[in-house]
Amino acid sequence: MIDSPASPTDTEVAAVAALAGAEVVRARYGRRHSRIDKGAGDFATDADVGAEEAILDIIRTARPEDAVHGEEGGRRGAADAVREWLVDPLCGTLNYATGSQLVAVNVALRNGPAAVADPFSGEVFLTDGETAWVRYGADGDGDAYGQAFGPVALRRPVGEEQLAPTADTRLVDVNLDPPFPGAPAFRAVDLLAHPGFVERFRPRVVSTTLALAWVAAGRRAAYVTDGGDLSGSVHFAAGIALCRAAGCVVTGVDGAPVGPDGRGLVVAADAETHGLLMSLIRGRGRSA
């Protein structure tokens, strides 16, 4: 909970909400989960629903006049609400249901602060819209930033550090989850098979937007996914906000700005990496 005599900032609300959801995800890990079928092979679990309710409780308490658009519950709140929060309570549900810990909890105020929490490392990646940083552990009193848990928390003292993107790892995460609206002009699998890509980068395939936070933190050189306009997506809004605030280059797969007419995402640690990826996507720079 937010336990402060002063009104919390939107960044604090995002952080507390994301960590509240992360605590539900972590607590229910390894159990047998009920499933809610969404069709086309997609589903939610009781952990998704429970995490979203925990997030909603925080936002409703701190910002009762705001609307919330959650992946599981849809849009809630006044129809004429000026502000809207975008919530993905468990990004990587299939991973989670099969026992993998590669998941994220995303909370973002549309066009404002955002938080991405890793339930199993104890980290929460934050942006106030201008700067971006990662907070790990707690202050020892169980404050609004949660408890220290997971392998990263065990290795690190309580604290935070500014996110610093770098392409040094050469690791590029590519999202291969359907649908593929850009095909045949753009197919992520074609990028992975491009000779120029494998010469210059080390590909990774993920199914969670946690990888966007990794680009902002310098743990990945870039992230690529197909799609339409992802700027208002409950899955991607928080990660996009983090990467922009950290100084990453963020465009669609066509090189255009992310927005209503956008197509997917290419998020890179620097302009050189972004330019190289765009040349590969457009078919230039192919090896003989």
Side-chain angles (χ1 to χ4, degrees):
M1 297 179 62
I2 299 175
D3 184 16
S4 171
S7 177
T9 66
D10 289 332
T11 308
E12 290 169 341
V13 173
V16 175
L19 284 168
E23 174 59 23
V24 173
V25 171
R26 186 178 69 91
R28 299 190 185 188
Y29 177 72
R31 300 181 184 179
R32 183 182 295 275
H33 298 286
S34 60
R35 296 192 180 192
I36 303 165
D37 184 24
K38 295 183 177 182
D42 192 16
F43 63 89
T45 70
D46 56 285
D48 296 70
V49 175
E52 184 162 301
E53 288 301 322
I55 293 168
L56 286 172
D57 285 346
I58 297 297
I59 297 175
R60 284 169 176 158
T61 299
R63 299 291 187 268
E65 296 182 357
D66 291 356
V68 180
H69 188 116
E71 181 183 8
E72 308 310 331
R75 194 178 191 277
R76 311 183 202 187
D80 60 350
V82 175
R83 305 188 341 150
E84 181 181 50
W85 294 82
L86 304 171
V87 174
D88 183 355
L90 177 48
C91 185
T93 299
L94 181 57
N95 288 344
Y96 184 78
T98 57
S100 170
Q101 297 183 352
L102 191 60
V103 301
V105 177
N106 300 321
V107 177
L109 176 63
R110 188 183 290 273
N111 300 319
V116 176
D118 182 337
F120 299 103
S121 73
E123 297 171 301
V124 58
F125 301 86
L126 302 166
T127 177
D128 57 8
E130 296 181 359
T131 59
W133 65 99
V134 59
R135 182 181 293 266
Y136 38 88
D139 64 6
D141 297 323
D143 72 348
Y145 292 100
Q147 298 178 352
F149 51 81
V152 174
L154 292 175
R155 292 196 301 270
R156 288 176 167 174
V158 172
E160 64 182 38
E161 59 188 48
Q162 187 169 344
L163 298 184
T166 174
D168 290 349
T169 66
R170 298 175 60 212
L171 299 176
V172 176
D173 274 308
V174 180
N175 180 15
L176 295 182
D177 284 347
F180 309 112
F186 170 74
R187 288 183 293 206
V189 67
D190 293 337
L191 178 64
L192 289 174
H194 195 301
F197 183 85
V198 295
E199 283 178 1
R200 296 169 176 83
F201 299 110
R202 301 175 64 184
R204 295 292 184 271
V205 177
V206 296
S207 53
T208 171
T209 53
L210 184 61
L212 280 170
W214 292 343
V215 178
R219 302 175 191 176
R220 293 291 191 270
Y223 174 83
V224 179
T225 184
D226 199 355
D229 172 20
L230 302 179
S231 61
S233 165
V234 296
H235 306 290
F236 291 94
I240 290 172
L242 274 175
C243 289
R244 282 176 168 163
C248 301
V249 181
V250 181
T251 72
V253 294
D254 55 359
V258 176
D261 298 321
R263 291 179 46 220
L265 280 175
V266 177
V267 178
D270 54 41
E272 180 181 0
T273 301
H274 183 270
L276 180 53
L277 284 169
M278 290 308 306
S279 73
L280 296 173
I281 289 171
R282 291 166 178 161
R284 296 193 297 269
R286 186 178 298 273
S287 297

